[in-house]
Amino acid sequence: MVTFLIALLALIGGYFIYGKIVDNLFGPTDKPTPALVHNDGVDYIPLPTWRVFMIQLLNIAGLGPIFGALGGALWGPSVYLWIVLGTIFAGGVHDYLSGMISLREDGKSISEVVGHHMGSTMLFIMRVFSVVLLVLVGTVFMTGPAGLLAKLTGVAVTVVLPCVLLYYFLATLLPIDALIARFYPLFGACLIIMALGIMGGMLFGVGGHTMPELQLANLHPKGDAMPIWPLMFITVACGAVSGFHSTQSPIMARCLRDERLGRPVFYGAMVSEGIIALIWAAAGVTFYDGTGGLAKAMAAGGAGSVVYDICVGFMGGSGSMTGYIGATLAMLGVIACPITSGDTAFRSARLTLADWFGVEQTKALKRLLFAVPLLAIGGILSQMDFNIIWRYFSWTNQTLAMIVLWTGATYLYRVHKGSKAWMIPAVPATFMSAVTFTYILQAPEGFQLATSITYPCGIIFAVCCVALFAKKILMSKQD
């Protein structure tokens, strides 16, 4: 319990201390925001700050901080360190910079932002990479909640899935204040109840479970066959740092009224997601009394079944009315997370394609031009094995985060020449370069190479990235 509470306080403190440092180094101004300059009644709409925060949180808090955190918990409480440090020094920086740079550049999609600062080749790569990632995200966040809803209601997945797909279509197509801004506060209430309920059940020992303390050891049931580096860092995904978030931040950059609201919305939402991930990672190792029990439960019924069992167990116990109500509310919170990321994933994919091909989106027919094929592809992919899609999503997700962090470092160097502000994103960018390259060389869905090869190759790749960044800085000095 002590370890968990320290980690929780560290996340909260990170927002107020490191988040403030990052904000001061970026330097918000009084310049009119895109929401005020380009108000089009569809995507550029000024919204109240609390709504913008809630939408941003629900946009980014998909299955990642729940399923990813449970997967990361298989390595034991050591996952707390990555969730806390990753959220504060990587995820929060990534989300803040992707949102604020987009805000400065008329709310452009992240692919356009990266291309502006990293060159035409990277622009093309990012456009393709972003659309692929967003469709994968939409698919993952379509099948996951459909399965959970089916388990909760007893209705077949084949019936629930088309209903989720229909909602995604409407959320992708309609103005942002028609569905998303109206219903997200309700979903947010479920999410908050879920987090507080699960945390309360753990802290007060519901069911006789004891929260384990931190051990600096690999407690994965498969032992050395599943090394912490780099597998755990990719598995946790959105709960520590997520490239997907950079595709969502521009959506809210088009709705902010003031640049000074960037820290509570972008950095604050990431810290909130880190707290959600911390709660679920702790719940996994606590409810099943260790990583062995968690691994068996994951193998037997999948992450969705584990979520259901934890909700019932920590929200009042199975068989009781309070337990059923609490579990239902908690499950609704868990379902709301992926649904409110899946809808904006497809919406962001539409905006990315619109920016790519220069098609304005004020007319419904032009929005249909992109929405229909995107949702059709997502519907086809939803028939694939969820676990396969998730693994490829996780690596693609973290690779995008690495690219965006390097973009943030380039932007800060250009804007604040003479200062060391660029180091804020450059350090986590270097780390994530090593993580992502090592993973794809080593993972079962990658090249399956031995650690004797993947570890040094990962370090060499990170060094090469640093060298390319240094070359870009030197070229910038000569301009």
Side-chain angles (χ1 to χ4, degrees):
M1 180 187 297
V2 174
T3 301
F4 173 81
L5 291 175
I6 291 174
L8 180 62
L9 291 175
L11 282 170
I12 296 171
Y15 168 77
F16 288 104
I17 300 173
Y18 199 71
K20 184 65 175 177
I21 292 172
V22 174
D23 194 45
N24 288 340
L25 287 174
F26 187 88
T29 68
D30 293 322
K31 181 182 178 181
T33 64
L36 301 176
V37 176
H38 305 295
N39 189 343
D40 62 2
V42 178
D43 297 308
Y44 291 87
I45 300 177
L47 295 174
T49 307
W50 71 273
R51 284 187 183 272
V52 177
F53 169 82
M54 192 65 75
I55 295 171
Q56 175 71 5
L57 173 60
L58 293 172
N59 282 355
I60 66 176
L63 287 172
I66 301 170
F67 284 14
L70 287 171
L74 290 171
W75 281 271
S78 58
V79 72
Y80 297 175
L81 289 175
W82 173 230
I83 291 173
V84 172
L85 297 178
T87 295
I88 295 171
F89 297 106
V93 172
H94 169 278
D95 289 17
Y96 176 85
L97 289 178
S98 61
M100 293 300 287
I101 297 173
S102 175
L103 191 69
R104 289 274 175 90
E105 299 185 4
D106 284 336
K108 292 293 185 184
S109 301
I110 193 61
S111 56
E112 307 303 308
V113 170
V114 171
H116 181 204
H117 296 282
M118 305 295 277
S120 57
T121 300
M122 187 57 72
L123 171 61
F124 178 76
I125 292 173
M126 278 295 297
R127 282 170 169 170
V128 175
F129 207 80
S130 296
V131 173
V132 170
L133 173 63
L134 287 164
V135 172
L136 283 175
V137 169
T139 303
V140 167
F141 293 167
M142 187 189 309
T143 56
L148 290 171
L149 275 169
K151 188 173 183 65
L152 186 64
T153 62
V155 178
V157 174
T158 53
V159 176
V160 176
L161 190 59
C163 295
V164 175
L165 187 61
L166 175 61
Y167 167 74
Y168 282 4
F169 176 75
L170 294 174
T172 302
L173 190 67
L174 296 175
I176 197 165
D177 59 347
L179 278 180
I180 293 175
R182 290 178 183 273
F183 293 105
Y184 273 36
L186 176 61
F187 291 149
C190 293
L191 182 61
I192 292 169
I193 291 171
M194 173 273 295
L196 294 178
I198 299 299
M199 184 171 66
M202 286 190 295
L203 293 177
F204 291 103
V206 173
H209 301 288
T210 302
M211 299 183 71
E213 301 299 342
L214 177 66
Q215 296 181 53
L216 297 177
N218 181 359
L219 301 181
H220 198 288
K222 295 183 179 180
D224 293 339
M226 298 293 288
I228 290 178
W229 174 273
L231 300 185
M232 185 188 76
F233 295 88
I234 294 292
T235 302
V236 174
C238 304
V241 57
S242 168
F244 167 65
H245 297 182
S246 67
T247 67
Q248 302 302 289
S249 294
I251 297 178
M252 289 300 95
R254 303 180 186 207
C255 298
L256 273 180
R257 299 172 181 267
D258 190 324
E259 283 194 6
R260 289 179 175 80
L261 301 174
R263 181 168 72 102
V265 169
F266 299 124
Y267 198 99
M270 180 62 231
V271 169
S272 299
E273 181 173 9
I275 292 173
I276 294 170
L278 178 66
I279 290 171
W280 277 102
V285 292
T286 301
F287 185 77
Y288 292 100
D289 302 313
T291 58
L294 174 60
K296 290 179 181 178
M298 294 277 279
S305 179
V306 168
V307 167
Y308 182 82
D309 290 343
I310 290 174
C311 288
V312 172
F314 280 137
M315 296 289 282
S318 60
S320 67
M321 180 57 69
T322 55
Y324 178 77
I325 294 174
T328 300
L329 289 173
M331 284 290 286
L332 287 173
V334 174
I335 292 166
C337 280
I339 284 181
T340 54
S341 291
D343 58 5
T344 50
F346 284 113
R347 187 181 187 90
S348 184
R350 170 177 68 79
L351 294 173
T352 299
L353 289 172
D355 286 348
W356 184 348
F357 294 104
V359 180
E360 60 86 26
Q361 295 289 279
T362 54
K363 295 181 180 179
L365 186 60
K366 291 185 176 180
R367 298 199 293 276
L368 279 170
L369 178 67
F370 298 122
V372 171
L374 286 170
L375 271 295
I377 293 171
I380 294 171
L381 290 177
S382 67
Q383 305 306 307
M384 291 178 60
D385 184 351
F386 173 86
N387 292 321
I388 293 175
I389 297 175
W390 179 264
R391 288 199 296 269
Y392 282 110
F393 153 69
S394 296
W395 177 77
T396 307
N397 184 46
Q398 302 302 72
T399 302
L400 179 59
M402 176 264 290
I403 294 171
V404 172
L405 283 166
W406 281 122
T407 303
T410 303
Y411 174 88
L412 288 179
Y413 178 80
R414 287 177 172 173
V415 173
H416 300 292
K417 286 185 178 180
S419 77
K420 300 297 183 183
W422 57 268
M423 293 183 67
I424 294 290
V427 172
T430 303
F431 180 80
M432 292 307 300
S433 298
V435 169
T436 53
F437 195 71
T438 303
Y439 181 87
I440 199 61
L441 293 179
Q442 184 175 323
E445 62 273 19
F447 293 95
Q448 304 179 30
L449 299 177
T451 56
S452 59
I453 298 174
T454 62
Y455 287 177
C457 285
I459 295 172
I460 291 171
F461 180 75
V463 171
C464 290
C465 289
V466 172
L468 289 173
F469 176 69
K471 179 181 177 182
K472 199 168 189 67
I473 286 179
L474 290 174
M475 292 175 62
S476 178
K477 286 182 178 179
Q478 295 172 3
D479 292 341

